[in-house]
Amino acid sequence: MENKTIEKLDKIAEIWNNFILEYKFCNKYIKFTDEIKTNYFGDILGYFHDTFSLISNIPKNSVNSTKFSFYISFLQAIYVQQDFVEELLYIFNCKKNKSDLKNDINYSKNREIRNELVGHPIRKINGKFISSTLFSYHSKDDEIEYLRYHIDNNYSFEKVNIKIDDVIKRHIFFLDTYFNLIIRKLEVILLRFKKQIEILEENILVQDFETLLKIISAYFEKFLESDFIYDVESLKIIYSKTNEHKRYRYFIENFYSTLKEYIVCTKDDIDIFTGKQKDNFSEIELPLFPITQNLIKNKKDVSYHYELGKLSTKRNFPEFEFFSSLLKSKCNDTEVLNELEFMERNLHNDIEYYSAYKHIRYLLKN
């Protein structure tokens, strides 16, 4: 199986995982039913990958039983993948059905071969004998040879030879045709989504905060899952407290800046998927919370990312006391110490705990 064909299927899967599953704006353009929201789509992708090897791994110099086993699995795998393509065309609302596929020679010819050899090796209609087939014992490695008796030929003996490579080429052309159609549909959806989030980007500072949250919830909801206490109700509470303490003011300011960055990154992802930008991002993994502070001139930087990483997940009191004490041993800044004490008093209040936590990160960084 050609790698480019598999790459197209993988691209469909990536767009599904990153956009169709995550945003209501994107999935409203497809058949996003309750059944399809489950593992249904993932099962199709998994089955596709599992059957590619059955199509591409052709045995050489094998005994007849191995050849026959290969013929059956080879043709059945193509048949199953054809059915999966039909299902994908339905899911992605591509306005194609089985009748359209039957008019595609690359679909119909391979399907006829499979039906004749695997689906109905002895075929009857209303009790009347139509045809029978039998695998030949003299097939070459690159062919499927079989014996055929059919009513159209007055049941005369026929020997049929089919080049395996021809079957594969037809199937690859079939897959490429409809994978390309699905990808084009997905790219249209992504470009519509990009326009929508560009409108959001232009109005970030124009809309009042509650209206902004409604817009994000309607069109960019994945962002609200990207960080601690980014749910709408928590954000409203934090926003209402911005005049009480600068930790809340910083949290909201950080929310705005993070939203802008998230939109830019999402637009970049869309440009990559739609071919407008190449993916040149390196895969160097940065450490969690790489915050350092040079406390004394000519001394090594002090790193806090270990302690902050541990405090980023809510803990019971003994654990919090242990990791916060490590941080206190490195830092004697009054504001940081006050915020740690505030976090300790609010271990069971997510809003207060994480507002203070983010403020500490900001203080240490600056």
Side-chain angles (χ1 to χ4, degrees), residues 221-235:
E221 64 271 31
K222 184 180 177 182
F223 173 69
L224 298 177
E225 301 171 2
S226 66
D227 209 339
F228 305 114
I229 51 173
Y230 267 18
D231 62 283
V232 171
E233 292 308 313
S234 295
L235 287 166

Side-chain angles (χ1 to χ4, degrees), residues 11 187 191 268-278:
K11 180 176 181 177
E187 287 176 346
L191 291 174
D268 285 344
D269 287 343
I270 291 173
D271 287 344
I272 289 168
F273 281 122
T274 56
K276 293 188 176 183
Q277 179 177 311
K278 292 185 179 180

Side-chain angles (χ1 to χ4, degrees), residues 82 86 89 95-112 170 173-174 177-178:
Q82 288 180 335
E86 183 185 350
L89 292 171
K95 312 299 182 186
K96 295 285 182 181
N97 55 37
K98 188 178 285 289
S99 297
D100 297 309
L101 298 183
K102 285 180 178 178
N103 291 326
D104 185 336
I105 189 67
N106 296 299
Y107 169 93
S108 58
K109 191 167 183 63
N110 281 354
R111 204 163 180 91
E112 287 170 7
R170 280 195 296 269
F173 195 87
F174 166 78
T177 297
Y178 295 102

Side-chain angles (χ1 to χ4, degrees), residues 149-201:
Y149 301 86
H150 198 285
I151 190 173
D152 290 346
N153 199 27
N154 201 27
Y155 305 116
S156 297
F157 166 80
E158 295 177 86
K159 186 172 71 172
V160 182
N161 295 85
I162 297 170
K163 290 287 186 183
I164 292 173
D165 191 52
D166 290 341
V167 177
I168 293 175
K169 286 178 179 177
R170 280 195 296 269
H171 187 58
I172 290 175
F173 195 87
F174 166 78
L175 293 179
D176 283 344
T177 297
Y178 295 102
F179 285 172
N180 287 340
L181 180 64
I182 292 168
I183 288 171
R184 285 198 298 273
K185 173 67 181 285
L186 290 172
E187 287 176 346
V188 169
I189 294 173
L190 292 184
L191 291 174
R192 287 174 179 168
F193 182 57
K194 183 181 177 182
K195 287 183 180 179
Q196 190 65 48
I197 61 175
E198 284 174 340
I199 295 172
L200 169 61
E201 185 178 29

